Amino acid sequence: MPKMNTGQIIKVEQNKVDKMKKMFNKQMKNNKSNEEHENKNKYGLMLGMVRIIILCLFIPYVSLSFVLFYYSTTKMNSRIRETVMTSMENAAEICNMNIKSAVDGSKKASYDGVIKNSYNEFLETRDEQKMHETVSAYLNNTYKYSSYIANTILLFDGETTMEYYTYSNIAGATYANIYYFKMNVLPDIRSEAKNIGTQTKLVIAGNKLYLVRNMVTSNYTPFATLVMEINTDQMFKSMDNVVWKQEGLVYLDNKLLNSAYHMSEKDKGVLEEYAENNV
């Protein structure tokens, strides 16, 4: 084996060292690359777990919030509707009581017998002046101070020439109500009276509400008609107490009794259309 000199030995050793450095650097690079890869995988895994946790928390929370919102809204709407319906029913019940009171008032004229007795006496004596005094006094004493009845008119079927009426200043009526009745409503009321027999009927005529009742003899033959103009502002006043009410309509036998005077024409049209489809 040939001997190497010192320089050759140093060179060989230097080559070995260089190779070891290269191998070491390569190994370090590989280790660093592996470490970065592992860190990247760990970061991706952690990010995925965070996403899953967020979704697991967010989706149920959103779903629960939606369910609670829907439930509370539905419940609130239901309660509002129930409150309004109850308020309307109570107001309608009061209106029915007021109407019944007016009907009972009209019956009083028949049950008291003052008008019938005075008429029978007139048939015998033909003294209409006396009958007029007796009947007018009765009408004034019975209906003049009513807040629900604006005016009361007695129409005899014939053989009389005087007017029999009274009007209530408490209800805001004047002789103008009587004059309006004679000029605009009288024929319609007489026509209605022919068909009601001994019944009492509410009639809408000339944008006003009238209660019509025939006065009959002992054999139930009509001899006069009692007509009462209803003070609708007072009769349906309870409707003003319906909660959250802005405006309303009152129908009688599918006929519009009052109108929404304080609404725009557009809103009024919507309300009337709804009423026509649901009343």
Side-chain angles (χ1 to χ4, degrees):
M1 180 174 177
K3 294 183 178 179
M4 292 185 292
N5 56 35
T6 303
Q8 290 176 330
I9 292 173
I10 294 172
K11 187 174 181 181
V12 170
E13 293 296 330
Q14 183 67 39
N15 291 336
K16 289 180 179 180
V17 170
D18 291 341
K19 288 181 179 180
M20 290 178 67
K21 285 182 176 180
K22 290 180 179 179
M23 290 177 65
F24 179 78
N25 290 336
K26 184 176 181 182
Q27 185 64 36
M28 291 295 294
K29 288 181 179 180
N30 290 336
N31 291 340
K32 186 176 181 180
S33 177
N34 291 336
E35 185 177 353
E36 290 177 351
H37 183 70
E38 289 178 359
N39 291 337
K40 187 175 181 181
N41 288 340
K42 290 180 180 180
Y43 177 77
L45 181 60
M46 183 175 65
L47 183 61
M49 292 179 64
V50 171
R51 288 176 178 173
I52 292 174
I53 292 173
I54 292 175
L55 288 176
C56 290
L57 292 176
F58 180 74
I59 292 177
Y61 176 78
V62 171
S63 300
L64 181 61
S65 299
F66 177 78
V67 171
L68 291 176
F69 175 77
Y70 177 80
Y71 176 78
S72 61
T73 302
T74 303
K75 193 71 173 178
M76 182 179 295
N77 290 338
S78 178
R79 287 182 177 178
I80 291 174
R81 180 177 179 82
E82 289 177 1
T83 301
V84 173
M85 290 299 295
T86 300
S87 180
M88 290 179 63
E89 289 171 358
N90 292 337
E93 182 63 25
I94 294 174
C95 290
N96 287 333
M97 293 173 59
N98 293 340
I99 292 174
K100 184 178 183 303
S101 177
V103 172
D104 290 343
S106 71
K107 293 179 179 179
K108 184 175 176 62
S110 296
Y111 297 154
D112 287 348
V114 175
I115 296 176
K116 183 170 68 172
N117 293 337
S118 181
Y119 179 72
N120 288 335
E121 184 178 345
F122 162 74
L123 293 179
E124 294 179 1
T125 64
R126 296 295 169 175
D127 187 352
E128 186 177 0
Q129 180 63 39
K130 183 178 180 181
M131 182 176 74
H132 185 270
E133 292 175 358
T134 302
V135 171
S136 296
Y138 176 80
L139 294 177
N140 286 330
N141 293 333
T142 308
Y143 304 113
K144 186 176 180 64
Y145 303 103
S146 172
S147 59
Y148 296 107
I149 302 173
N151 58 75
T152 303
I153 303 172
L154 187 64
L155 304 172
F156 286 98
D157 288 345
E159 304 182 46
T160 58
T161 58
M162 296 182 177
E163 295 182 344
Y164 300 80
Y165 64 84
T166 187
Y167 51 83
S168 173
N169 297 128
I170 296 176
T174 64
Y175 181 77
N177 296 66
I178 307 298
Y179 183 79
Y180 178 87
F181 173 84
K182 293 192 299 181
M183 294 295 102
N184 301 282
V185 181
L186 179 57
D188 294 334
I189 295 300
R190 284 200 177 277
S191 177
E192 289 285 349
K194 292 179 181 179
N195 302 316
I196 63 175
T198 58
Q199 297 179 347
T200 302
K201 185 175 183 179
L202 290 169
V203 178
I204 299 175
N207 295 323
K208 295 182 181 295
L209 178 63
Y210 295 92
L211 190 151
V212 182
R213 178 182 180 83
N214 283 329
M215 306 290 295
V216 297
T217 62
S218 55
N219 61 353
Y220 300 102
T221 301
F223 67 88
T225 301
L226 188 70
V227 183
M228 297 176 170
E229 179 187 340
I230 301 300
N231 179 11
T232 54
D233 289 341
Q234 187 67 27
M235 182 69 71
F236 303 110
K237 188 176 181 60
S238 60
M239 290 296 183
D240 296 336
N241 298 325
V242 174
V243 293
W244 300 305
K245 170 184 171 290
Q246 293 182 337
E247 191 58 88
L249 303 175
V250 177
Y251 281 79
L252 178 66
D253 294 334
N254 294 325
K255 293 182 180 180
L256 181 62
L257 178 59
N258 73 330
S259 187
Y261 299 109
H262 305 295
M263 298 182 71
S264 66
E265 289 299 322
K266 180 179 179 181
D267 291 340
K268 178 181 174 182
V270 172
L271 183 61
E272 290 182 354
E273 181 180 357
Y274 175 83
E276 289 176 0
N277 294 330
N278 292 275
V279 173

